[in-house]
Amino acid sequence: IHDSHPGYVLPDLPPGPSTPWPDHIVCFGDHFGRTLDRASPYWKGRWSVGGHPWLQAHASQAGGDPDIGVVLFGQYDRPVQQRIRDLAAEVRHALPGDVSVVIKPHPREADCEAFYASALDAGVQLAGPRDDSYALLGRCKVAVSVFSTIAVEALAFPCRSAVVRSPYWSEPIVDLVDQGLLDPVEDAADIVELATARGEGRDRGDVAADLFGVGDPELDFERLIEDCQAALCPRGP
């Protein structure tokens, strides 16, 4: 949860003693729990792994030869939209005609056909803003984004996950680039190199488990809430 996403967990209230604060956080996987531990000792023992069932269901169906070469994921950010549009056209010109290149807009992007017209004229395909991104990850060889969370989610799939260099990378993206799991790219030539590389899709079973709790037992949310309530309001003798 970084500065641009506080509304995911907290209501729009002014800071102060009345602002609610989570007693416990449910993370997708252990990786994000360790991030909490590094950020503050307060969170030690205050997080659990809940997994990511929707992602897991799609990742379990992925496999076989990808029928999409490159998917470039847009964001609700004008500079990112422009970068994705221009990269898509350049990648399309550089790849053979039988290798498909797709732009997947963010659900909040409006007038996609008009904005991405130059890329579409170059032969790039346009997915619908509300098409399922996970379904596309299961079908592509390379997924490209700038600082979207889709870059991390793509690591549960066999595709390569590339991130265009940006000063706005979040801490998890920087960590995963440093670990060699995310492929940093500067330009269309780097993306084309990934798309034309030989080899099968990656097996990231251990990574998917660490990031998204794949294979972990299902979390008992009712028991977790009861335990949190008991810790906050212990019963007397």
Side-chain angles (χ1 to χ4, degrees), residues 59 62 154-160 181 199-209 214:
L155 294 178
F157 294 80
C159 61
R160 302 289 291 264
L181 292 169
E200 301 295 328
R202 294 180 170 185
D203 179 3
R204 294 204 189 92
D206 291 343
V207 176
V214 176

Side-chain angles (χ1 to χ4, degrees), residues 189-201:
D190 291 341
I191 298 171
V192 170
E193 183 177 349
L194 292 175
T196 55
R198 294 182 179 275
E200 301 295 328

Side-chain angles (χ1 to χ4, degrees), residues 177-227:
V177 167
D178 291 342
Q179 293 176 43
L181 292 169
L182 292 177
D183 295 295
V185 294
E186 298 280 358
D187 51 29
D190 291 341
I191 298 171
V192 170
E193 183 177 349
L194 292 175
T196 55
R198 294 182 179 275
E200 301 295 328
R202 294 180 170 185
D203 179 3
R204 294 204 189 92
D206 291 343
V207 176
D210 191 39
L211 290 174
F212 302 112
V214 176
D216 285 359
E218 185 176 344
L219 180 63
D220 186 339
F221 282 91
E222 291 185 357
R223 175 65 181 272
L224 175 62
I225 292 170
E226 291 174 357
D227 289 345

Side-chain angles (χ1 to χ4, degrees), residues 132-157:
D132 195 314
S133 294
Y134 296 158
L136 291 171
L137 290 175
R139 297 173 53 198
C140 72
K141 185 170 183 179
V142 181
V144 180
S145 57
V146 180
F147 48 86
S148 171
T149 54
I150 199 73
V152 180
E153 294 163 309
L155 294 178
F157 294 80

Side-chain angles (χ1 to χ4, degrees), residues 45-220:
R46 293 175 180 264
W47 58 269
S48 301
V49 171
H52 194 329
W54 182 251
L55 178 145
Q56 292 179 30
H58 281 76
S60 66
Q61 299 171 8
D65 294 330
D67 64 322
I68 300 174
V70 180
V71 178
L72 298 99
F73 290 88
Q75 291 173 236
Y76 189 62
D77 180 274
R78 183 61 76 184
V80 171
Q81 291 173 311
Q82 294 169 337
R83 189 75 177 114
I84 291 296
R85 179 192 61 196
D86 297 344
L87 279 172
E90 294 168 12
V91 170
R92 173 67 282 163
H93 286 307
L95 285 174
D98 61 344
V99 179
S100 56
V101 178
V102 177
I103 292 176
K104 165 58 174 72
H106 187 278
R108 293 182 64 189
E109 289 186 64
D111 300 323
C112 299
E113 291 188 8
F115 182 81
Y116 291 114
S118 59
L120 303 185
D121 290 343
V124 175
Q125 300 173 34
L126 184 65
R130 295 195 174 276
D131 284 357
D132 195 314
S133 294
Y134 296 158
L136 291 171
L137 290 175
R139 297 173 53 198
C140 72
K141 185 170 183 179
V142 181
V144 180
S145 57
V146 180
F147 48 86
S148 171
T149 54
I150 199 73
V152 180
E153 294 163 309
L155 294 178
F157 294 80
C159 61
R160 302 289 291 264
S161 183
V163 281
V164 182
R165 288 201 180 274
S166 166
Y168 302 109
W169 282 354
S170 63
E171 180 183 341
I173 288 180
V174 173
D175 281 350
L176 294 166
V177 167
D178 291 342
Q179 293 176 43
L181 292 169
L182 292 177
D183 295 295
V185 294
E186 298 280 358
D187 51 29
D190 291 341
I191 298 171
V192 170
E193 183 177 349
L194 292 175
T196 55
R198 294 182 179 275
E200 301 295 328
R202 294 180 170 185
D203 179 3
R204 294 204 189 92
D206 291 343
V207 176
D210 191 39
L211 290 174
F212 302 112
V214 176
D216 285 359
E218 185 176 344
L219 180 63
D220 186 339

